[in-house]
Each structure stands twice: as C-alpha cells, then as structure tokens.
Amino acid sequence: MARTKSVTDKILNLTNFRSIAGYVSDTQNWINSVQERESVFEEMRTDPRVESLVKNRKDKVLQMTGSFSETKNKLVNEACENFLSFNTFFKLNNILLNAVPYGIAACEILWKFVEGYYIPYDFTPIPRTALSFPQHDGLDYYTPCIASQNIELSDKRKFIIHRNDDGELNRWGRPVLLSAYTFWRFKNLGIKFWSMAAELCGVPSILAIFETKSEEEAKKRAADLTAALQNWESGSSGAFGNVKDIKVVSSQINDFEKIVACCDAEIAYALTAQALTSNTAQYGTHAQGAEHAKTYDDLIKGDAYLLQQTDQQLVDAFVELNFPGAIPPKYDIDSADFADFEIIRDCIDRGVPVSLKAIYNKVHVPEPVDEKDSFVKAQPSFGFSDNGKDDFFQNRQ
C-alpha cells in the first residue's frame, strides 16, 4: 500500500483558486479583440438560449451508457464492472464535458482504499481560469499547471484533462461559446435598445387641439396645456377650456421578435451545428428536420468519442493501482443508434435472433424479477406451431 499511498492524498486547495487574477491563453487574444474579460463565458451561460443548448448537448452524452471489453484476466474484468459504474463516469463526465463550452476541463481524482482496492469516489473540478501552460524544460507542451500552488498536472493517476478538440491540437481546446459570441452580444444589445425604446414608446403621448386668434396667445395656451397634461396620471380626469379635441399619439417598435429569433437561430448553429431540431421551424420540411437531427446526432457522437478516450485514463489508472502490470480493458461509450422497438418486433416475428439483454438495457423494457413476475400474453388455440406450420389448417381433417 505504501507504493501508492500518495494517490489517496487530496492535492488541490480550492481556496487558492480565488487568488488568481488572470492568465494568458490562446483564447486571450480573442478576448482582447472583442474587449471582453474572461468572465464573458459565464455571462453567456446566463442567457437561457445558450445555457439550454449547452446543457442539452451535455445531457445527451451523459445519458449514454458505457461498457468494457473483456480481457483474459477475470479479476480485472469483474473489478472494473463493480467499481467503475455508470454513476462514477457520470460524475466524472459531468465535469469533463465543460470542455464543450470552455474548450478545456480538468479535475483531480479522489481515491480511497476500501477492502483491498483503490476506488475513485469523487472528482474535484479545476476551474479553467486556474490553469496555465508555462514553458520550461521537462514539462510536456500539453500539460497544464496550477500556478497558485505550483502543481504540474502530469500524474495521470490523479489528474484528468479533457479538451474539446477540433483536430488542431490546441492546448486550450476549442470553446464553442466563441462562435456564439457575436450573435449573443447583438441579441443583448438589441434587448437593451428595445427596453429603452419601450420606456419611450410604451406610454402614449397626448395631444390637445385648440384655436387662438394670435401667435402669442397660442404659445401661452400651449404651454399651459402641456403643463396640465404632464401632471396627468393613470385614472385621472380633467376639463380644459377652449380645446376642440384631445388625441392619443402612440408609437410602435416592430421586428423585435424577428431579431431575437435570428440571433437564437445563429446561436443554435454555433452550439449544435443546426437549428431546426432546437428551434420552431416555420417552413422547415420533414426531410430538413430529419437531416438536421442527424447532424446533431453526429455532433453528439463526436463529443462521446472524444470523451471515451479521456475516460479510458480513469480505467488505466484503476487497473494500474489495483493490478500492476495487467492489461486494462477498453472502455466504450455506446453512441450507436439503437433500433426502434417496431424493428425489433419485426425481427423477432421473422425469426431473426435478437439479444434479450439488449432489449432490457436499451429499450428499457422492465425485466422480470423471476418467473412469477413475468407477464406473457396467452396464445390462441390456433396459429404457428414450433415446426413453423399453421396449426389451424394442419389439424383440420
């Protein structure tokens, strides 16, 4: 146990993160160019449209189940199945998928020694703003550090780094919020403009029409009526002499919904690579909707593929700590499309072998506890027999 005692120690001190004023990253040039601060990412997450799409993209991956390929070592297979459960990966991936909006996500693995096994029981998220990439000899180009604690996140048994990679091997990953920024900012400015316009145009103006014999008398009369009308409040009434008519002059602000809808659609393209499956389409056809849904599914599968490669690090660390020298199983997130139940039913009717376990796990059909708990529809007195012949016609003489 002494050889691995260090992995059970908690390394990070979260209080030190608050003392970090800033850092320089590949994203910093973009932040400077748009005259924003690093906090702009958090501001964007307060937009309900942005947050709902980011959360939806994360949730679709988190709902996917994973499985291990079997190795020749039965003990390794059983330990991975027992101690690296769906809930364990859900905790981990809920942190790592923050790489989608922010580009990079990191966490510390917290281990405990229980009944002869080192088990990951929790994960401490590391804020993006706490990371930096100092350049010095002996440190890998892609290994981040926490400057406030002078910690290199190089021990893969303790730290996991995940990037939303676009194939360019960017150390900071690719934040999808960058692409949504322009229309998010335009939408915000539009809302502020329409709020000010509503204050000016929301309350109608009142115009009093009167007649006078001279210009001087008209100016004096107009000033008196204006002062009187300005003191009117809701529900007030009044009488004015030498006034022919009182008219209400109202203003309108149009196209507000069109601008918001346009911005929301562009934000959807930035975050989900399509719009019809996350927006109400006025003219979208069924074919367009299906194609957009496929585009979104392909994007989610890409997120899952990148994530399973990072999840493999947890599996490797678990096997290394508990079974030194053993080959770890491969962890796979099942992102493949599963057949509809109608297709499964047709396969069964036509004699195509179908996995009963897969039906219970994938279609979520309730699995019976025992034979008494099993409900099977009674068969009619005629139909197809075991030999494939029609009992009804076969038994007739």
Side-chain angles (χ1 to χ4, degrees):
M1 181 175 174
R3 61 181 173 82
T4 50
K5 183 178 184 302
S6 61
V7 300
T8 59
D9 296 334
K10 184 176 175 63
I11 296 176
L12 299 182
N13 182 357
L14 293 178
T15 58
N16 289 342
F17 290 158
R18 299 186 179 92
S19 64
I20 300 175
Y23 64 97
V24 177
S25 72
D26 297 337
T27 313
Q28 196 66 42
N29 292 334
W30 172 84
I31 291 176
N32 292 335
S33 68
V34 295
Q35 298 181 347
E36 293 281 4
R37 298 171 62 90
E38 182 70 25
S39 59
V40 68
F41 288 142
E42 295 302 327
E43 292 178 23
M44 293 180 69
R45 294 290 296 271
T46 62
D47 184 294
R49 186 61 173 169
V50 173
E51 178 63 14
S52 64
L53 293 176
V54 169
K55 189 175 185 303
N56 181 263
R57 184 166 166 179
K58 288 179 58 177
D59 287 345
K60 284 185 176 296
V61 180
L62 289 173
Q63 292 169 8
M64 295 178 179
T65 57
S67 60
F68 299 97
S69 63
E70 291 190 357
T71 67
K72 296 180 179 179
N73 192 325
K74 185 178 179 180
L75 291 178
V76 172
N77 298 337
E78 291 178 350
C80 289
E81 290 286 350
N82 293 334
F83 298 116
L84 300 181
S85 64
F86 174 85
N87 290 337
T88 300
F89 283 107
F90 185 93
K91 278 185 185 180
L92 172 62
N93 294 338
N94 195 37
I95 296 173
L96 298 184
L97 282 172
N98 283 321
V100 172
Y102 301 127
I104 189 172
C107 71
E108 177 188 2
I109 311 173
L110 303 182
W111 301 88
K112 61 182 177 181
F113 191 74
V114 181
E115 299 179 357
Y117 287 97
Y118 290 93
I119 302 173
Y121 70 94
D122 206 355
F123 306 92
T124 301
I126 304 173
R128 182 182 187 275
T129 51
L131 302 177
S132 63
F133 288 89
Q135 296 300 305
H136 61 79
D137 294 338
L139 182 64
D140 183 75
Y141 180 78
Y142 294 101
T143 300
C145 297
I146 299 179
S148 63
Q149 294 180 245
N150 195 26
I151 297 176
E152 297 178 359
L153 308 186
S154 56
D155 189 349
K156 293 188 176 182
R157 300 175 306 173
K158 285 296 292 177
F159 301 106
I160 294 184
I161 314 297
H162 182 61
R163 292 174 176 87
N164 186 48
D165 190 12
D166 59 0
E168 295 184 357
L169 300 178
N170 192 322
R171 292 186 299 177
W172 290 95
R174 174 65 183 174
V176 298
L177 291 181
L178 295 184
S179 302
Y181 169 81
T182 300
F183 284 93
W184 168 79
R185 175 56 69 194
F186 185 74
K187 176 183 172 182
N188 271 12
L189 293 175
I191 291 175
K192 291 180 180 179
F193 168 77
W194 255 268
S195 297
M196 293 185 293
E199 292 180 1
L200 298 175
C201 302
V203 180
S205 301
I206 301 174
L207 180 65
I209 301 175
F210 60 90
E211 294 180 352
T212 59
K213 296 179 180 179
S214 65
E215 185 70 19
E216 292 298 326
E217 184 180 352
K219 291 181 179 179
K220 183 178 184 306
R221 183 63 177 158
D224 293 340
L225 287 174
T226 300
L229 292 174
Q230 285 179 341
N231 293 326
W232 272 16
E233 296 179 356
S234 177
S236 300
S237 60
F240 302 93
N242 193 25
V243 174
K244 294 179 61 177
D245 193 9
I246 292 181
K247 294 185 177 294
V248 176
V249 181
S250 59
S251 301
Q252 292 184 346
I253 49 175
N254 300 318
D255 299 328
F256 174 63
E257 291 184 356
K258 292 182 180 179
I259 291 179
V260 172
C262 175
C263 291
D264 282 346
E266 295 301 322
I267 289 173
Y269 275 115
L271 301 184
T272 64
Q274 50 73 53
L276 281 183
T277 57
S278 53
N279 291 273
T280 302
Q282 184 177 1
Y283 303 108
T285 64
H286 176 75
Q288 286 176 320
E291 184 63 28
H292 281 227
K294 182 180 181 301
T295 300
Y296 192 23
D297 288 342
D298 291 341
L299 184 71
I300 299 303
K301 291 176 184 178
D303 291 341
Y305 178 72
L306 288 175
L307 188 63
Q308 77 178 23
Q309 296 180 71
T310 306
D311 287 342
Q312 183 65 43
Q313 182 180 323
L314 179 66
V315 180
D316 294 346
F318 175 80
V319 173
E320 179 186 348
L321 290 171
N322 295 292
F323 305 94
I327 299 176
K330 296 298 182 183
Y331 181 71
D332 177 64
I333 295 178
D334 187 3
S335 59
D337 294 331
F338 197 74
D340 295 332
F341 189 75
E342 288 75 14
I343 297 177
I344 298 174
R345 180 194 60 198
D346 292 342
C347 289
I348 295 174
D349 291 343
R350 285 161 176 76
V352 178
V354 175
S355 169
L356 185 62
K357 181 180 178 181
I359 294 177
Y360 287 132
N361 292 339
K362 298 293 184 179
V363 188
H364 302 295
V365 174
E367 184 176 1
V369 177
D370 49 34
E371 187 176 350
K372 292 181 179 180
D373 185 50
S374 177
F375 176 81
V376 180
K377 183 179 179 181
Q379 298 295 322
S381 58
F382 57 88
F384 288 97
S385 62
D386 292 340
N387 58 15
K389 297 181 178 181
D390 192 315
D391 291 337
F392 179 78
F393 292 98
Q394 180 184 8
N395 294 332
R396 295 187 65 182
Q397 299 297 330

